[in-house]
Amino acid sequence: MPDVRVVNVSKKFGKIVALDNVSLHIHEKEYFSLLGPSGCGKTTLLRLIAGLIQPDKGEIYIGERFVNNVPPEDRDIGFVFQTFALFPHMNVWDNVIYGPRVKGFDMKKAGIIGHEVLEMVKLHERSDAFPNELSGGMMQRTAVARALAAGAKLLLLDEPLGQLDAKVRKELRYDIRRMVKDLELTAIHVTHDQAEAMSISDRIAVIKKGKVQQVGTPEELYMNPQSVFVANFIGESNFLEGYVSIMTGKETSIELRGGTKVHATNGDLKRGERVVLAIRPETFTIEKGARRGENAISGSVERVVFEGTNIRYEVRLENQDSILIAKPSLMGEWFNIGEKVTVSFQREKAHVFPYPETGLKEEIAVE
Amino acid sequence: MPKTKMLEALDRLSSRKAVKYGVYLTAVILFFALILLPPILGIIIKWNTMQQVLNQPALMSRALSAVENSFTIALFVSALDVATGVPMAWLITRGKSKWLNVLDTVSDIPFIVPTAALGYSLLLFWSEPGGVSSLFGNSLVSQGWLLVVLLHFTFSYPVVVRVIVGALLDYKKEYENASRTLGAPPFTASRTVTFPIIKPSLIAAFILAFSRSISETGATFIVAGAFENGPVFIQNMKKDYVGSTYEGSIVFASFILIAVALAIFLTIRALGPKLKLPVRKIWPTFERKLSYSKAASSRDSITLLIFFAIVLIPSLFVALPALQAIFTDTLPKSLSGAGVWGEYWQSLLLSYFLGAVVTILNVIIGLPMAIIVARRKLGVLPSAVLDVLVNVPLVVPSIALGVSLAIFWKANFAFMPEMVVLIFAHLAITYPYFVRSMSAAVERISPDLEEAARTLGAKPLGVFRTIVLPLTKYSILSGAIMVFTRSVSETGATVAVVTSLRTAPVVIVEWVMKKVAATPLEIGLGCGFLIVFSFIILLALRLIVKGKGRY
């Protein structure tokens, strides 16, 4: 199963830069996701790999083959469209055997493949149905079956679950991953849903405004985001603004707004530099009353939201910054609105980033 | 009463059921009384006169063979139109050259040339000295069936291209992309996916080309020579025969034309959806060859050659004598209104006046009908039946419709001025164009929008004024353009109805047929004026459309 290399690829639509000098290497048999907000260029990248559009600059390789000038039908890919694009004038069966047929297989051979893939997606009983007679989930499974039947070694999925109900979406994403792994395919999955990308991918590339922000495993992206944007887009983060007040060896002391001092571990900063601390809501501890200690800040509970698994607190800190804290609802004590509390965090759980040139709001904006 | 107060009062009135249904019923009654029934009743009134023809086997077989020619040519030309129009539409919508925008606009030109002028232009190009015949030493295509075929191909081709271009633009290209990623080369993808999906539009294009071909009279008369199709036969009967034989023969020919046209239309409508394009059989190697390199580029070259050599240049060839006329004394003579020109200017004015009146009438009585059809306002079945009936005048040959309509009005309402009958005839012919384009536009508006307006407190008329009308302005204007163009071009129904009045295309036909002594330069200039004025009016309307069509 092929690997895919995208080398310095750029693409413009009129004056809009969709992709700006993007390079990626997707390994053999890898389930790889392109994750980013709408309009970030992820679908453009997928369509470039499929050959549906041509790059303005750069090179694309599928396996050892340089494919810039290879038409889509000769790239040995399977493409699952967001709208499914099931041919409305053909039933499930004819849709599924379309690939083998246009590749010149005889009816018998096409039939064998058709049965195999329909078995795999459990749609045998509906093979006579037309697309408009299928549920969203069935349409999606037909679209996957059709792409697999074409003999694809590289499966390209463009928001394949975007049009489905939440429950069906969760079920199907594991089904797709299982099939890809069983068949030892390479898959590239485009999505704007970070939970979806995190739960099925071997690795993820986070894309913003046509540029790759970070590539890594879901754990790496979550535990070690390398930019404010990634810290915000993958999972959730609280952002606290401040200045580097002390830099000694590995220790960094940061003075937050209002003079509160906290400690962090990152180096590579200068004294006096304006920074942003990113701390995940679930890494805070919260306790009643006022307490002094490292990275402990007092405040009061302003809002409580019960979400089932978690309970979330919005806490107004003494310096007037507001943070979110998430705690498992069935463990530990609960806090009430107006209650005085102390929140604290471990220094290694805080990621320190230089303050973005464009401003914090602009940097984390997803639209 | 101030304007807003009056509108508010009307809005309130419109929420009364009686008023709402009153408007719809009036539209339906007017449709039956002015458009659908007169042409049918006209033939029935003169049913007995057909006996005259049945008693003369020679005349009957002449009539039958003329009618047969009409349908043979219409079927052949429509098939040819679709076969050649598809690659042209493909080139316009899928090609990459920046010149394709120009090609897109240019492909509309033959559409705006009134057919009588087009007929003369083709005659000059193919048959007369000075045209291509001068290159070949003899007249290349003389008057007769082949020139009729060329003519019908020329004027119906732009209609077909327009419909297919529209369908390809509306079509979700994702299907084609899906097919490509599954391994199909471009030719296979379009053959097995794109065209089967836009099949309804291909059928609609075929029907439009077909109905244009069987209706066309003036230009056909110019290029037919001794050849006769249905409309030419009726014209010749008017010339050669008098009294009851004349009446019997035209009623007979009209009846057969209407009956067969309707039968073909209903057959296509019934069988069209069942027609399956072969999508399972695939020849991978051969189709791959057709998709790339030489095959694709030669397809484009042939398409462009057909368009320029057979459609565009012959259509505009009349510009040569028209330009020549400008540099001689023909121009000042024409402007002074001397000789043949007095009648010409009167006829031109009449044509545009008629076009304007018919357009306004269409908007008034066609709009409620379009809403009935699009929104099933009178119940599902009655509305669906109306949907089919509205199309009837579209497929009925216009001269046959004119003959029958004239008989009806003159027999029952002899006091009615010829001008009014002429307006009714043009109204009947153009009505389907307007209602069809409007009902399609109304269908495109989501009923949610209207319901949202109602929940916000708007009365039915208010919803129409503030939601439907602004969102369909573009379609009203483009529908108006179609109606106006069709009316100005119309010859068949006009000659069938009038005895003393002359519209511009009728005058041109008479000039060419030497009924009135006009020189070739004068005919050229007459055609030129007709084209230029029509073009200016259309351009003005289009500019309005462009300015208003931002939805």
Side-chain angles (χ1 to χ4, degrees):
Chain A
M1 302 303 129
D3 63 336
V4 178
R5 276 180 300 137
V6 175
V7 185
N8 301 330
V9 163
S10 295
K11 177 75 185 173
K12 271 189 192 174
F13 294 107
K15 284 183 179 163
I16 297 165
V17 181
L19 287 174
D20 185 7
N21 207 26
V22 166
S23 293
L24 278 176
H25 184 195
I26 293 127
H27 304 142
E28 278 179 40
K29 300 182 199 171
E30 187 172 37
Y31 201 109
F32 192 90
S33 289
L34 301 173
L35 173 67
S38 319
C40 71
K42 54 192 189 301
T43 295
T44 303
L45 181 55
L46 198 72
R47 294 171 91 84
L48 283 168
I49 295 170
L52 294 172
I53 48 176
Q54 306 305 320
D56 299 334
K57 230 180 67 194
E59 291 151 23
I60 298 171
Y61 297 87
I62 297 180
E64 289 305 305
R65 197 163 160 216
F66 173 64
V67 293
N68 279 35
N69 299 317
V70 177
E73 64 265 26
D74 294 335
R75 293 192 181 197
D76 278 335
I77 51 166
F79 199 114
V80 178
F81 292 82
Q82 186 174 11
T83 55
F84 312 129
L86 295 177
F87 306 136
H89 58 301
M90 297 181 194
N91 60 19
V92 168
W93 178 253
D94 285 326
N95 262 287
V96 167
I97 63 164
Y98 184 85
R101 297 291 299 125
V102 294
K103 287 186 172 167
F105 294 6
D106 59 39
M107 266 315 210
K108 199 175 158 202
K109 199 170 167 196
I112 293 171
I113 298 173
H115 285 298
E116 264 175 28
V117 293
L118 282 180
E119 194 67 45
M120 225 183 298
V121 297
K122 303 184 188 75
L123 265 178
H124 244 307
E125 285 164 15
R126 300 307 307 273
S127 62
D128 288 337
F130 280 85
N132 60 4
E133 299 162 353
L134 299 175
S135 69
M138 287 176 182
M139 283 202 262
Q140 204 275 344
R141 282 188 279 153
T142 309
V144 172
R146 184 176 70 173
L148 295 178
K153 297 183 176 64
L154 170 63
L155 193 60
L156 305 173
L157 305 128
D158 183 11
E159 306 247 8
L161 307 164
Q163 303 218 334
L164 305 176
D165 295 338
K167 201 111 190 160
V168 184
R169 196 154 64 204
K170 276 194 178 161
E171 272 172 39
L172 281 181
R173 65 191 186 200
Y174 299 115
D175 283 352
I176 296 179
R177 181 181 161 91
R178 184 179 42 76
M179 273 188 277
V180 166
K181 290 296 171 187
D182 286 352
L183 297 169
E184 301 190 322
L185 306 179
T186 307
I188 307 178
H189 182 126
V190 160
T191 179
H192 65 270
D193 179 344
Q194 54 101 11
E196 182 178 308
M198 299 281 279
S199 57
I200 52 169
S201 315
D202 296 326
R203 283 193 309 146
I204 300 170
V206 181
I207 302 178
K208 182 197 171 195
K209 291 187 179 164
K211 287 189 168 156
V212 174
Q213 302 286 309
Q214 191 175 348
V215 181
T217 63
E219 297 81 11
E220 281 166 0
L221 294 175
Y222 194 82
M223 301 295 187
N224 195 17
Q226 280 163 17
S227 66
V228 172
F229 179 78
V230 175
N232 182 58
F233 197 71
I234 302 282
E236 258 184 309
S237 286
N238 289 294
F239 294 106
L240 299 172
E241 296 174 32
Y243 290 92
V244 178
S245 57
I246 304 170
M247 287 275 307
T248 50
K250 277 195 171 179
E251 183 170 326
T252 309
S253 181
I254 290 158
E255 188 175 321
L256 301 179
R257 280 201 299 207
T260 312
K261 283 198 172 132
V262 294
H263 299 280
T265 52
N266 293 47
D268 211 20
L269 294 162
K270 283 189 235 78
R271 199 162 164 232
E273 188 175 347
R274 195 176 174 195
V275 291
V276 176
L277 254 79
I279 309 164
R280 303 242 178 243
E282 66 275 20
T283 57
F284 280 103
T285 54
I286 175 167
E287 54 199 299
K288 284 186 179 168
R291 176 178 73 80
R292 293 205 167 271
E294 190 187 89
N295 295 351
I297 313 168
S298 56
S300 63
V301 177
E302 278 203 335
R303 216 151 72 98
V304 181
V305 179
F306 180 73
E307 285 183 337
T309 315
N310 283 319
I311 187 159
R312 292 162 73 95
Y313 301 103
E314 198 176 313
V315 176
R316 175 75 59 187
L317 301 178
E318 58 191 10
N319 68 351
Q320 294 306 308
D321 278 346
S322 178
I323 59 164
L324 276 177
I325 296 176
K327 290 284 142 200
S329 54
L330 298 178
M331 290 166 73
E333 56 183 337
W334 289 14
F335 303 88
N336 298 316
I337 292 177
E339 200 163 351
K340 299 284 175 206
V341 292
T342 300
V343 300
S344 57
F345 60 92
Q346 295 171 338
R347 65 172 67 177
E348 60 274 14
K349 294 281 164 49
H351 303 281
V352 187
F353 303 105
Y355 190 85
E357 284 172 14
T358 49
L360 183 59
K361 258 197 175 162
E362 179 66 24
E363 183 64 20
I364 62 175
V366 291
E367 276 185 355
Chain B
M1 210 189 289
K3 200 175 154 197
T4 45
K5 280 264 163 72
M6 203 165 80
L7 280 176
E8 275 170 27
L10 282 174
D11 279 357
R12 271 198 304 279
L13 209 59
S14 71
S15 59
R16 289 195 196 156
K17 267 202 168 154
V19 174
K20 204 165 76 181
Y21 284 101
V23 171
Y24 292 140
L25 280 178
T26 311
V28 174
I29 290 168
L30 283 175
F31 166 64
F32 278 98
L34 295 182
I35 290 152
L36 192 67
L37 291 180
I40 297 172
L41 295 177
I43 296 235
I44 295 173
I45 290 170
K46 296 286 176 178
W47 191 258
N48 291 336
T49 59
M50 279 199 262
Q51 199 60 40
Q52 305 280 345
V53 186
L54 300 178
N55 292 338
Q56 296 183 54
L59 186 60
M60 189 167 81
S61 80
R62 186 177 151 197
L64 285 176
S65 87
V67 170
E68 191 189 332
N69 287 337
S70 263
F71 290 107
T72 314
I73 287 179
L75 286 171
F76 174 71
V77 163
S78 313
L80 197 65
D81 271 326
V82 174
T84 53
V86 161
M88 181 67 166
W90 191 262
L91 186 64
I92 289 173
T93 53
R94 295 285 199 269
K96 292 200 168 68
S97 163
K98 60 179 176 179
W99 292 103
L100 292 172
N101 262 338
V102 180
L103 186 65
D104 189 16
T105 312
V106 168
S107 71
D108 265 349
I109 289 179
F111 183 62
I112 59 152
V113 177
T115 44
L118 193 79
Y120 184 60
S121 193
L122 257 67
L123 185 70
L124 290 181
F125 181 79
W126 294 110
S127 314
E128 301 272 301
V132 281
S133 48
S134 54
L135 298 176
F136 295 89
N138 207 335
S139 93
L140 190 63
V141 181
S142 49
Q143 282 177 319
W145 70 270
L146 184 55
L147 197 51
V148 173
V149 168
L150 282 169
L151 167 77
H152 286 214
F153 176 75
T154 305
F155 67 66
S156 50
Y157 179 89
V159 183
V160 168
V161 171
R162 197 60 21 224
V163 173
I164 303 175
V165 163
L168 284 174
L169 289 177
D170 282 347
Y171 161 78
K172 255 174 46 187
K173 211 185 160 204
E174 215 70 313
Y175 293 126
E176 212 170 289
N177 286 337
S179 163
R180 297 288 303 280
T181 62
L182 291 167
F187 181 84
T188 313
S190 56
R191 183 178 73 77
T192 56
V193 175
T194 309
F195 290 113
I197 292 177
I198 64 159
K199 191 185 71 181
S201 299
L202 297 179
I203 293 173
F206 183 92
I207 291 180
L208 268 180
F210 181 81
S211 62
R212 292 264 288 161
S213 171
I214 49 169
S215 268
E216 213 297 317
T217 310
T220 310
F221 200 52
I222 289 174
V223 302
F227 175 78
E228 274 184 340
N229 70 355
V232 173
F233 170 79
I234 295 175
Q235 282 263 64
N236 286 337
M237 285 297 109
K238 267 187 114 171
K239 230 171 35 183
D240 302 342
Y241 284 79
V242 282
S244 57
T245 314
Y246 146 70
E247 204 156 45
S249 60
I250 64 170
V251 169
F252 177 73
S254 299
F255 170 69
I256 307 267
L257 275 173
I258 293 175
V260 177
L262 282 179
I264 292 179
F265 170 64
L266 290 174
T267 311
I268 295 177
R269 240 187 120 100
L271 295 184
K274 289 183 190 138
L275 181 77
K276 286 239 157 63
L277 297 175
V279 293
R280 266 205 176 176
K281 190 80 196 133
I282 285 154
W283 299 269
T285 325
F286 176 62
E287 295 190 18
R288 179 170 283 269
K289 273 190 186 150
L290 284 182
S291 296
Y292 292 109
S293 66
K294 277 186 192 161
S297 57
S298 43
R299 179 196 66 210
D300 291 346
S301 312
I302 293 170
T303 301
L304 289 174
L305 183 73
I306 289 175
F307 172 65
F308 283 102
I310 301 185
V311 179
L312 189 67
I313 298 172
S315 306
L316 296 179
F317 199 70
V318 72
L320 278 187
L323 287 174
Q324 251 177 296
I326 291 175
F327 300 105
T328 60
D329 64 344
T330 315
L331 183 65
K333 194 176 150 199
S334 71
L335 295 177
S336 71
V340 292
W341 292 98
E343 193 189 18
Y344 176 84
W345 291 118
Q346 269 179 13
S347 72
L348 200 65
L349 272 181
L350 175 65
S351 277
Y352 293 136
F353 170 74
L354 199 59
V357 170
V358 167
T359 307
I360 293 166
L361 282 178
N362 260 305
V363 175
I364 296 170
I365 70 163
L367 212 48
M369 182 58 108
I371 293 171
I372 294 172
V373 168
R375 290 280 187 251
R376 305 273 180 258
K377 288 286 185 191
L378 296 179
V380 175
L381 188 64
S383 304
V385 170
L386 282 174
D387 193 8
V388 176
L389 291 182
V390 160
N391 285 308
V392 167
L394 184 74
V395 290
V396 169
S398 64
I399 193 164
L401 189 140
V403 163
S404 188
L405 194 123
I407 291 171
F408 174 82
W409 290 111
K410 285 177 183 168
N412 296 297
F413 304 89
F415 57 86
M416 203 175 272
E418 196 168 69
M419 184 68 197
V420 177
V421 182
L422 188 58
I423 289 172
F424 285 168
H426 279 230
L427 181 64
I429 285 155
T430 52
Y431 184 82
Y433 287 91
F434 188 77
V435 174
R436 273 164 61 106
S437 89
M438 275 317 293
S439 67
V442 174
E443 263 172 43
R444 278 195 294 270
I445 303 175
S446 159
D448 287 354
L449 294 181
E450 290 176 48
E451 282 162 12
R454 290 300 298 273
T455 61
L456 294 168
K459 306 273 186 236
L461 183 67
V463 174
F464 177 74
R465 276 193 302 111
T466 55
I467 309 290
V468 179
L469 215 50
L471 290 178
T472 53
K473 251 190 307 200
Y474 177 89
S475 305
I476 293 179
L477 279 163
S478 58
I481 289 178
M482 263 202 285
V483 167
F484 186 82
T485 325
R486 187 74 180 79
S487 168
V488 171
S489 259
E490 176 52 41
T491 327
T494 313
V495 294
V497 168
V498 295
T499 48
S500 59
L501 291 170
R502 293 280 178 278
T503 60
V506 173
V507 165
I508 301 243
V509 173
E510 288 182 348
W511 284 5
V512 180
M513 304 314 289
K514 310 277 189 285
K515 266 194 182 172
V516 176
T519 64
L521 286 191
E522 281 176 324
I523 305 175
L525 190 62
C527 290
F529 282 136
L530 187 57
I531 295 170
V532 169
F533 290 139
S534 301
F535 185 72
I536 291 171
I537 293 171
L538 287 179
L539 204 65
L541 280 172
R542 271 197 184 199
L543 285 178
I544 300 172
V545 171
K546 239 187 179 168
K548 303 264 167 94
R550 290 199 201 102
Y551 293 103

